[in-house]
């Protein structure tokens, strides 16, 4: 099943093309690496895929639902961790995840269960009562991933989720992302090639706003 279909996504900022004609499809349960150096157009692409930025041209469909025609329905199928995670640092993990669940329209009677499952999946079961501001960066990023999966979305989109973490935290977050692949389609935006090789099934390389490679990790390795 196709969960994400991007067609000719293009974004122009002030006359300059930041992203040009990005097209791809993603299947259920796949982990796709979206690889490129800083400024290549990754965040711009992620924002268009999640409906947070209007494309200048092109379209996004999530499980067949058009993002421009039916934004509410399409967005409900996506979990998103932006590069700057929207954490409310003065809240506890439980309080924040409960709010995230409500924002994602999890019904009142299911919020507690959604929070418990998301914590379990992200290794946060013991952390529910802790203030987010008192957590390490690695645990804060787990909370960022937990809020992205709180409504059990079809598609999870993570923008540079390991930036600024130490090596142990990076390893743990990568393992966590890999595990998400079983249940969700995942798009991992990153500038780190080994991260893609470790975590992803397939990779797309974006360079100066355009896709320059799309294929399996094995083919990528052979080309090196
Ligand atoms: P990446 O996430 O790969 O680092 P971005 O998508 O953030 O790349 O940026 C792609 C290009 O678009 C860069 O040249 C960047 O300067 C430009 N850009 C990004 N956001 C804006 C904006 N809001 N206004 C103008 N230019 C932007
Ligand atoms: P019930 O069986 O009690 O109706 P659901 O299966 O509908 O409960 O789950 C309640 C909530 O828990 C869902 O709305 C969803 O947000 C969340 N949830 C369920 N399964 C998962 C999962 N695998 N990952 C993340 N959240 C989940």
């Amino acid at each position: 099943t196709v969960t994400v279909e991007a067609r000719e996504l293009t974004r122009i900022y002030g006359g300059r093309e930041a992203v040009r004609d990005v097209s791809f499809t993603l299947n259920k349960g796949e982990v796709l690496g979206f690889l490129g150096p800083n400024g290549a157009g990754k965040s711009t692409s992620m924002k268009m895929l999640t409906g947070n930025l209007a494309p200048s041209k092109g379209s996004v469909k999530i499980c067949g639902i058009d993002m421009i025609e039916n934004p509410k329905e399409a967005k409900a199928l996506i979990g998103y961790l932006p590069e700057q995670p929207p954490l409310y640092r003065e809240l506890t993990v439980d309080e924040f995840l409960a709010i995230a669940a409500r924002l994602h329209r999890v019904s009142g009677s299911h919020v507690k269960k959604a929070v418990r499952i998301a914590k379990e999946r992200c290794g946060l079961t013991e952390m529910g009562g802790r203030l987010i501001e008192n957590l390490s960066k690695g645990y804060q990023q787990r909370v960022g991933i937990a809020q992205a999966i709180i409504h059990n979305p079809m598609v999870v989109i993570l923008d540079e989720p390991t930036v600024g973490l130490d090596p142990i935290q990076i390893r743990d977050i990568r393992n966590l992302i890999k595990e998400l692949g079983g249940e969700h389609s995942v798009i991992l935006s990153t500038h780190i090639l080994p991260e893609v090789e470790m975590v992803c099934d397939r990779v797309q390389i974006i360079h100066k706003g355009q896709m320059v490679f799309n294929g399996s990790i094995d083919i990528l390795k052979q080309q090196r």
Side-chain angles (χ1 to χ4, degrees), residues 106 110 113-114 117 121 149-152 183:
V106 174
H110 286 157
K113 182 177 177 185
I117 292 173
R121 296 186 62 202
I149 63 167
I150 194 84
H151 53 313
N152 201 19
E183 294 208 35

Side-chain angles (χ1 to χ4, degrees), residues 13 16 18 37-45 83:
Y13 290 120
R16 245 192 89 249
N38 284 336
K42 300 185 297 298
S43 288
T44 301
S45 300
E83 203 172 355

Side-chain angles (χ1 to χ4, degrees), residues 11-14 16-19 34 36-47 53 83 159-160 189-191 206 209:
R11 175 70 200 199
I12 299 168
Y13 290 120
R16 245 192 89 249
E17 279 179 332
V19 171
F34 211 86
N38 284 336
K42 300 185 297 298
S43 288
T44 301
S45 300
M46 297 307 116
K47 288 177 196 162
L53 179 71
E83 203 172 355
D159 196 353
E160 294 275 14
S189 155
T190 179
H191 64 281
I206 184 166

Side-chain angles (χ1 to χ4, degrees), residues 4-220:
V4 180
E5 184 183 358
R7 286 183 64 177
E8 298 181 0
L9 277 182
T10 298
R11 175 70 200 199
I12 299 168
Y13 290 120
R16 245 192 89 249
E17 279 179 332
V19 171
R20 181 178 175 187
D21 287 338
V22 165
S23 300
F24 66 92
T25 59
L26 182 64
N27 298 314
K28 199 173 175 200
E30 251 189 324
V31 182
L32 173 69
F34 211 86
L35 178 71
N38 284 336
K42 300 185 297 298
S43 288
T44 301
S45 300
M46 297 307 116
K47 288 177 196 162
M48 290 193 284
L49 291 169
T50 52
N52 286 283
L53 179 71
S56 307
K57 194 192 87 178
S59 66
V60 176
K61 282 184 184 171
I62 309 295
C63 303
I65 300 172
D66 190 281
M67 182 61 80
I68 291 167
E69 287 166 15
N70 294 302
K72 245 173 138 175
E73 290 83 348
K75 282 186 191 184
L77 300 170
I78 299 178
Y80 177 37
L81 177 60
E83 203 172 355
Q84 263 81 44
L87 299 178
Y88 292 86
R89 305 173 56 84
E90 67 281 9
L91 298 182
T92 66
V93 171
D94 280 341
E95 288 166 344
F96 173 68
L97 291 179
I99 291 171
R102 296 316 300 263
L103 290 175
H104 282 108
R105 296 172 186 281
V106 174
S107 71
S109 58
H110 286 157
V111 166
K112 260 194 153 156
K113 182 177 177 185
V115 170
R116 175 175 56 74
I117 292 173
K119 280 193 298 182
E120 277 169 18
R121 296 186 62 202
C122 296
L124 289 167
T125 298
E126 312 296 318
M127 299 292 181
R130 299 273 296 269
L131 292 176
I132 291 174
E133 65 189 0
N134 292 339
L135 299 178
S136 68
K137 277 201 107 179
Y139 273 90
Q140 288 181 358
Q141 202 62 326
R142 290 174 191 244
V143 176
I145 294 173
Q147 65 77 32
I149 63 167
I150 194 84
H151 53 313
N152 201 19
M154 291 297 293
V155 180
V156 179
I157 296 184
L158 308 170
D159 196 353
E160 294 275 14
T162 62
V163 164
L165 305 185
D166 72 29
I168 306 282
Q169 294 166 344
I170 289 173
R171 183 201 61 197
D172 292 347
I173 293 293
R174 285 177 182 164
N175 285 336
L176 177 52
I177 296 167
K178 217 171 163 171
E179 285 170 16
L180 295 180
E183 294 208 35
H184 315 269
S185 297
V186 180
I187 300 179
L188 168 64
S189 155
T190 179
H191 64 281
I192 306 163
L193 174 60
E195 182 157 296
V196 167
E197 292 182 337
M198 259 177 261
V199 174
C200 301
D201 307 308
R202 196 151 63 80
V203 61
Q204 297 191 149
I205 301 178
I206 184 166
H207 181 74
K208 294 185 178 166
Q210 295 190 64
M211 306 297 321
V212 294
F213 178 89
N214 179 355
S216 74
I217 300 294
D218 292 339
I219 292 172
L220 182 70

